[in-house]
Coordinates of all heavy atoms in Angstrom, one line a residue:
A253 N 0.8 -1.2 0.0 CA 0.0 0.0 0.0 C 0.9 1.3 0.0 O 0.6 2.2 -0.7 CB -0.9 0.0 1.2
E254 N 1.9 1.2 0.8 CA 2.9 2.4 0.8 C 3.5 2.6 -0.5 O 3.7 3.7 -1.0 CB 3.9 2.2 1.9 CG 5.0 3.3 2.0 CD 6.1 2.9 2.9 OE1 5.9 2.2 3.9 OE2 7.2 3.3 2.5
L255 N 4.0 1.5 -1.1 CA 4.6 1.6 -2.4 C 3.7 2.2 -3.5 O 4.1 3.0 -4.3 CB 5.1 0.2 -2.9 CG 6.3 -0.3 -2.2 CD1 6.6 -1.8 -2.5 CD2 7.6 0.5 -2.5
E256 N 2.4 1.8 -3.5 CA 1.4 2.4 -4.4 C 1.2 3.9 -4.3 O 0.9 4.6 -5.2 CB 0.1 1.6 -4.3 CG 0.2 0.3 -5.0 CD -1.2 -0.3 -5.2 OE1 -2.2 0.3 -4.9 OE2 -1.3 -1.5 -5.7
E257 N 1.4 4.4 -3.0 CA 1.2 5.8 -2.8 C 2.4 6.7 -3.2 O 2.3 7.9 -3.3 CB 0.9 6.0 -1.3 CG -0.4 5.4 -0.9 CD -1.6 6.1 -1.6 OE1 -1.6 7.3 -1.7 OE2 -2.5 5.3 -2.0
R258 N 3.5 6.1 -3.4 CA 4.7 6.8 -3.7 C 4.6 7.4 -5.1 O 3.9 7.0 -5.9 CB 6.0 5.9 -3.7 CG 6.4 5.5 -2.3 CD 7.6 4.8 -2.3 NE 7.9 4.3 -0.9 CZ 8.9 3.4 -0.6 NH1 9.7 3.0 -1.6 NH2 9.0 3.0 0.6
E259 N 5.4 8.5 -5.3 CA 5.4 9.2 -6.5 C 6.8 9.3 -7.0 O 7.7 9.7 -6.2 CB 4.7 10.6 -6.4 CG 4.5 11.2 -7.8 CD 3.6 12.5 -7.7 OE1 4.1 13.5 -7.2 OE2 2.5 12.4 -8.1
Y260 N 7.1 9.1 -8.3 CA 8.4 9.1 -8.9 C 8.4 10.2 -10.0 O 7.4 10.3 -10.7 CB 8.8 7.8 -9.4 CG 8.7 6.7 -8.4 CD1 7.6 6.0 -8.0 CD2 9.9 6.2 -7.8 CE1 7.5 5.0 -7.1 CE2 9.9 5.2 -6.8 CZ 8.7 4.6 -6.5 OH 8.7 3.6 -5.5
E261 N 9.5 10.9 -10.0 CA 9.6 11.9 -11.1 C 10.8 11.4 -12.0 O 11.8 11.0 -11.6 CB 10.0 13.3 -10.5 CG 9.7 14.4 -11.5 CD 9.6 15.7 -10.8 OE1 9.2 15.8 -9.6 OE2 9.9 16.7 -11.5
V262 N 10.5 11.5 -13.3 CA 11.4 11.0 -14.3 C 11.6 12.0 -15.4 O 10.6 12.7 -15.8 CB 10.9 9.7 -14.9 CG1 11.8 9.1 -16.0 CG2 10.7 8.6 -13.9
T263 N 12.8 12.1 -16.0 CA 13.0 13.0 -17.1 C 13.6 12.2 -18.3 O 14.2 11.2 -18.0 CB 13.9 14.2 -16.8 OG1 15.2 13.7 -16.4 CG2 13.3 15.1 -15.7
A264 N 13.3 12.7 -19.5 CA 13.9 12.0 -20.7 C 14.2 13.1 -21.7 O 13.7 14.3 -21.6 CB 13.0 11.0 -21.2
G265 N 15.0 12.8 -22.7 CA 15.3 13.7 -23.8 C 16.1 14.9 -23.3 O 15.8 16.0 -23.7
G266 N 17.0 14.6 -22.3 CA 17.8 15.7 -21.8 C 17.0 16.7 -21.0 O 17.3 17.9 -20.9
G267 N 15.9 16.3 -20.4 CA 15.0 17.1 -19.6 C 13.9 17.7 -20.4 O 13.1 18.5 -19.8
A268 N 13.8 17.4 -21.6 CA 12.7 18.0 -22.5 C 11.3 17.5 -22.1 O 10.3 18.2 -22.2 CB 13.0 17.7 -23.9
V269 N 11.3 16.3 -21.5 CA 10.0 15.7 -21.0 C 10.3 15.3 -19.6 O 11.3 14.6 -19.3 CB 9.6 14.5 -21.9 CG1 8.5 13.7 -21.3 CG2 9.3 14.9 -23.3
S270 N 9.3 15.6 -18.7 CA 9.3 15.1 -17.4 C 8.0 14.6 -17.1 O 7.0 15.1 -17.6 CB 9.7 16.2 -16.4 OG 8.8 17.2 -16.3
L271 N 8.0 13.5 -16.3 CA 6.7 13.0 -15.9 C 6.7 12.5 -14.5 O 7.8 12.3 -13.9 CB 6.2 11.9 -16.8 CG 7.0 10.5 -16.9 CD1 6.5 9.6 -15.8 CD2 6.7 9.9 -18.2
K272 N 5.5 12.4 -13.9 CA 5.4 11.8 -12.6 C 4.6 10.5 -12.7 O 3.6 10.5 -13.5 CB 4.6 12.8 -11.6 CG 5.5 14.0 -11.3 CD 4.8 14.9 -10.3 CE 5.6 16.2 -10.1 NZ 4.9 17.1 -9.2
I273 N 5.0 9.5 -12.0 CA 4.3 8.2 -12.0 C 4.1 7.7 -10.6 O 5.1 7.9 -9.8 CB 5.1 7.2 -12.9 CG1 4.3 5.9 -13.1 CG2 6.5 7.0 -12.4 CD1 4.8 5.0 -14.2
S274 N 3.0 7.2 -10.3 CA 2.8 6.7 -9.0 C 3.3 5.2 -8.8 O 3.6 4.6 -9.9 CB 1.3 6.7 -8.7 OG 0.6 5.6 -9.4
G275 N 3.4 4.8 -7.6 CA 3.8 3.4 -7.4 C 2.8 2.4 -7.9 O 3.1 1.2 -8.0
A276 N 1.6 2.9 -8.2 CA 0.6 2.0 -8.8 C 0.7 2.0 -10.3 O -0.2 1.5 -11.0 CB -0.8 2.5 -8.4
R277 N 1.8 2.6 -10.8 CA 2.1 2.6 -12.2 C 1.1 3.4 -13.0 O 0.7 3.0 -14.1 CB 2.3 1.2 -12.8 CG 3.4 0.4 -12.2 CD 3.3 -1.1 -12.4 NE 4.4 -1.8 -11.7 CZ 4.3 -2.2 -10.4 NH1 3.3 -1.8 -9.7 NH2 5.3 -2.9 -9.9
R278 N 0.7 4.5 -12.5 CA -0.2 5.4 -13.2 C 0.6 6.8 -13.4 O 1.1 7.3 -12.5 CB -1.4 5.8 -12.3 CG -2.2 4.5 -11.9 CD -3.3 4.3 -12.9 NE -4.2 3.3 -12.4 CZ -4.3 2.1 -12.9 NH1 -3.4 1.7 -13.8 NH2 -5.1 1.2 -12.4
V279 N 0.6 7.2 -14.7 CA 1.2 8.5 -15.0 C 0.3 9.6 -14.5 O -0.9 9.6 -14.9 CB 1.5 8.6 -16.5 CG1 2.0 10.0 -16.8 CG2 2.5 7.5 -17.0
T280 N 0.8 10.4 -13.6 CA -0.1 11.5 -13.0 C 0.2 12.9 -13.6 O -0.6 13.8 -13.4 CB 0.1 11.5 -11.5 OG1 1.5 11.8 -11.2 CG2 -0.3 10.2 -10.9
D281 N 1.3 13.0 -14.3 CA 1.6 14.3 -14.8 C 2.7 14.2 -15.9 O 3.6 13.4 -15.8 CB 2.1 15.3 -13.7 CG 2.3 16.7 -14.2 OD1 1.4 17.2 -15.0 OD2 3.2 17.4 -13.8
I282 N 2.6 15.0 -17.0 CA 3.6 15.0 -18.0 C 3.8 16.5 -18.4 O 2.8 17.3 -18.6 CB 3.1 14.3 -19.3 CG1 3.0 12.8 -19.0 CG2 4.2 14.5 -20.4 CD1 2.5 12.0 -20.3
K283 N 5.1 16.9 -18.4 CA 5.4 18.2 -18.9 C 6.4 18.1 -20.1 O 7.3 17.3 -20.1 CB 6.1 19.0 -17.8 CG 5.2 19.4 -16.6 CD 5.9 20.3 -15.6 CE 4.9 20.8 -14.6 NZ 4.3 19.9 -13.8
I284 N 6.0 18.8 -21.1 CA 6.8 18.8 -22.4 C 7.3 20.2 -22.7 O 6.6 21.1 -22.7 CB 6.0 18.3 -23.5 CG1 5.4 16.9 -23.2 CG2 6.8 18.3 -24.8 CD1 4.4 16.4 -24.2
D285 N 8.6 20.3 -22.9 CA 9.2 21.6 -23.2 C 8.7 21.9 -24.6 O 9.0 21.1 -25.6 CB 10.8 21.4 -23.2 CG 11.5 22.7 -23.6 OD1 10.8 23.7 -24.0 OD2 12.7 22.8 -23.4
P286 N 8.1 23.0 -24.8 CA 7.5 23.4 -26.1 C 8.6 23.5 -27.2 O 8.3 23.3 -28.4 CB 6.9 24.8 -25.9 CG 6.7 24.9 -24.4 CD 7.7 24.0 -23.8
E287 N 9.8 23.7 -26.8 CA 10.9 23.8 -27.8 C 11.1 22.5 -28.6 O 11.6 22.5 -29.7 CB 12.2 24.1 -27.1 CG 12.2 25.4 -26.4 CD 12.5 26.6 -27.4 OE1 13.3 26.4 -28.3 OE2 11.8 27.6 -27.2
I288 N 10.7 21.3 -28.0 CA 10.9 20.1 -28.7 C 9.7 19.6 -29.6 O 9.8 18.6 -30.3 CB 11.3 18.9 -27.8 CG1 10.1 18.5 -26.9 CG2 12.5 19.3 -27.0 CD1 10.3 17.2 -26.3
I289 N 8.7 20.4 -29.5 CA 7.5 20.0 -30.3 C 7.7 20.5 -31.8 O 7.7 21.7 -32.1 CB 6.2 20.6 -29.7 CG1 6.0 20.1 -28.3 CG2 5.0 20.3 -30.6 CD1 4.9 20.7 -27.6

């Protein structure tokens, strides 16, 4: 239950994309640098 409540922050593309994912393996947020679009 504790693991499912945790939140992880990940970046990719040299920081151009960042996302948050819960321990329940649900993506809760995505941020995309407009420069890479």
Side-chain angles (χ1 to χ4, degrees):
E254 177 190 326
L255 288 168
E256 284 194 2
E257 294 297 317
R258 289 186 186 172
E259 189 171 72
Y260 301 81
E261 199 162 333
V262 177
T263 61
V269 171
S270 66
L271 67 83
K272 291 182 182 178
I273 185 169
S274 73
R277 295 162 186 85
R278 302 266 190 256
V279 175
T280 59
D281 189 37
I282 295 178
K283 289 189 174 59
I284 301 170
D285 182 349
E287 298 279 320
I288 68 159
I289 299 174

